[in-house]
């Protein structure tokens, strides 16, 4: 991946210890300077330090993507920091209540749409002028929830399906301006939160974490759960010139759990 994003500046929202960190580090390893956005300032500082140890520049901007003024500050800071923006990764998200649609609180569903869809749209619109200058690229981080209709996931699937539709229409609108818009849809990602959850399940069932992992990995063709850097590499590809003729697409990154 070295050099794929050389000289480029990439903005990443929702930077946490899992995929957000992986996105920042893999973009940096590919040669990009990064602007990191999230609500947790301490976490942002930790990831920025790792990026700088790779040899790339990192700017942190504490941001709640549901706060319009904060998003405007993020867009302005990114432009000022590096003089350009070549990529935007909409990674921030919120999981609505995992409850059947016949019972779920509608206000909670609306809140999920605000964060997962409308906030991502607002942030993307703010970056369009900068992205247009250098033929930039937008990547929406979606979810494998698109590929199934399991009970209790209805509200989440509704929001993520809307995010996918939004990305496809933005691709059509922004393509003539030289901006590509794509989506990735990961399933389980073997990072801190999932590791904690599997540990919880293992204790509850009286089995080992490895047994829980193996049960879930068995549903994939590769018999392994993707790690953050593996999912992030798909985003690097989407941002890079290797994907210069790819737009309006959704790439599943799930070790073959779902075929699409």
């Amino acid at each position: 991946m070295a050099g794929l994003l050389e000289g480029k500046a990439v903005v990443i929202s929702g930077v946490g210890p899992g995929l957000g960190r992986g996105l920042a580090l893999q973009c940096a390893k590919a040669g990009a300077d990064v602007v990191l956005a999230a609500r947790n300032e301490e976490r942002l500082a930790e990831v920025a330090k790792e990026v700088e140890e790779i040899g790339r520049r990192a700017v942190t901007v504490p941001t709640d993507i549901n706060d319009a003024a904060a998003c405007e500050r993020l867009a302005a800071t990114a432009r000022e920091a590096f003089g350009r923006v070549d990529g935007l990764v909409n990674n921030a998200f919120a999981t609505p209540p995992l409850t059947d649609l016949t019972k779920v609180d509608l206000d909670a569903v609306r809140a999920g749409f605000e964060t997962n869809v409308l906030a991502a749209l607002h942030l993307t619109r703010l970056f369009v002028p900068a992205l247009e200058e250098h033929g930039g690229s937008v990547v929406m981080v979606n979810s494998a929830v698109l590929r199934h209709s399991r009970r209790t996931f209805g509200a989440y699937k509704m929001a993520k399906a809307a995010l996918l539709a939004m990305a496809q229409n933005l691709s059509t609108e922004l393509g003539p301006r030289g901006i590509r818009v794509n989506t990735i849809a990961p399933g389980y990602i073997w990072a801190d939160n999932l590791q904690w959850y599997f540990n919880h399940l293992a204790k509850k069932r009286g089995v080992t974490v490895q047994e829980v992992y193996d049960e879930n990995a068995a549903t994939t063709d590769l018999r392994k759960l993707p790690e953050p850097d593996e999912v992030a590499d798909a985003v690097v590809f989407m941002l890079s010139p290797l994907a210069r003729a790819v737009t309006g697409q959704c790439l599943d990154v799930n070790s073959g759990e779902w075929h699409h």
Side-chain angles (χ1 to χ4, degrees), residues 72-95:
E72 290 168 7
R73 183 172 61 251
L74 170 61
T77 301
R79 190 79 168 267
E80 292 166 5
F82 301 125
R84 60 188 293 159
V85 175
D86 302 275
L88 169 64
V89 184
N90 282 303
N91 178 58
F93 73 100
T95 305

Side-chain angles (χ1 to χ4, degrees), residues 19-44:
L19 180 56
R21 172 180 174 271
L23 289 165
L25 297 185
Q26 296 308 101
C27 284
K29 289 175 184 177
D33 295 318
V34 294
V35 179
L36 309 176
R39 289 177 295 180
N40 189 316
E41 293 187 48
E42 183 178 347
R43 188 174 293 157
L44 287 175

Side-chain angles (χ1 to χ4, degrees), residues 166-176 179-181 247-249:
M166 183 186 83
Q168 291 170 336
N169 271 75
L170 282 172
S171 173
T172 298
E173 291 182 24
L174 298 178
I179 301 171
R180 296 180 297 106
V181 183
T247 193
Q249 305 306 308

Side-chain angles (χ1 to χ4, degrees), residues 2-150:
L4 277 180
L5 301 180
E6 193 68 39
K8 297 185 182 298
V10 176
V11 179
I12 304 166
S13 72
V15 174
L19 180 56
R21 172 180 174 271
L23 289 165
L25 297 185
Q26 296 308 101
C27 284
K29 289 175 184 177
D33 295 318
V34 294
V35 179
L36 309 176
R39 289 177 295 180
N40 189 316
E41 293 187 48
E42 183 178 347
R43 188 174 293 157
L44 287 175
E46 291 171 357
V47 176
K49 182 179 178 181
E50 291 187 87
V51 168
E52 290 165 354
E53 288 171 352
I54 292 170
R56 305 310 307 178
R57 295 176 293 174
V59 171
T60 62
V61 187
T63 307
D64 179 345
I65 64 167
N66 288 305
D67 183 330
C71 290
E72 290 168 7
R73 183 172 61 251
L74 170 61
T77 301
R79 190 79 168 267
E80 292 166 5
F82 301 125
R84 60 188 293 159
V85 175
D86 302 275
L88 169 64
V89 184
N90 282 303
N91 178 58
F93 73 100
T95 305
L98 298 180
T99 306
D100 284 349
L101 289 175
T102 54
K103 301 176 181 178
V104 69
D105 180 77
L106 294 183
D107 286 335
V109 175
R110 291 187 187 96
F113 268 81
E114 285 290 339
T115 300
N116 291 306
V117 185
L118 298 181
L121 175 58
H122 179 234
L123 198 58
T124 301
R125 284 161 45 159
L126 289 173
F127 279 97
V128 164
L131 291 167
E132 186 175 10
E133 288 181 10
H134 298 282
S137 174
V138 180
V139 179
M140 308 289 184
V141 177
N142 208 294
S143 167
V145 73
L146 292 170
R147 310 303 180 210
H148 66 75
S149 297
R150 293 172 180 163

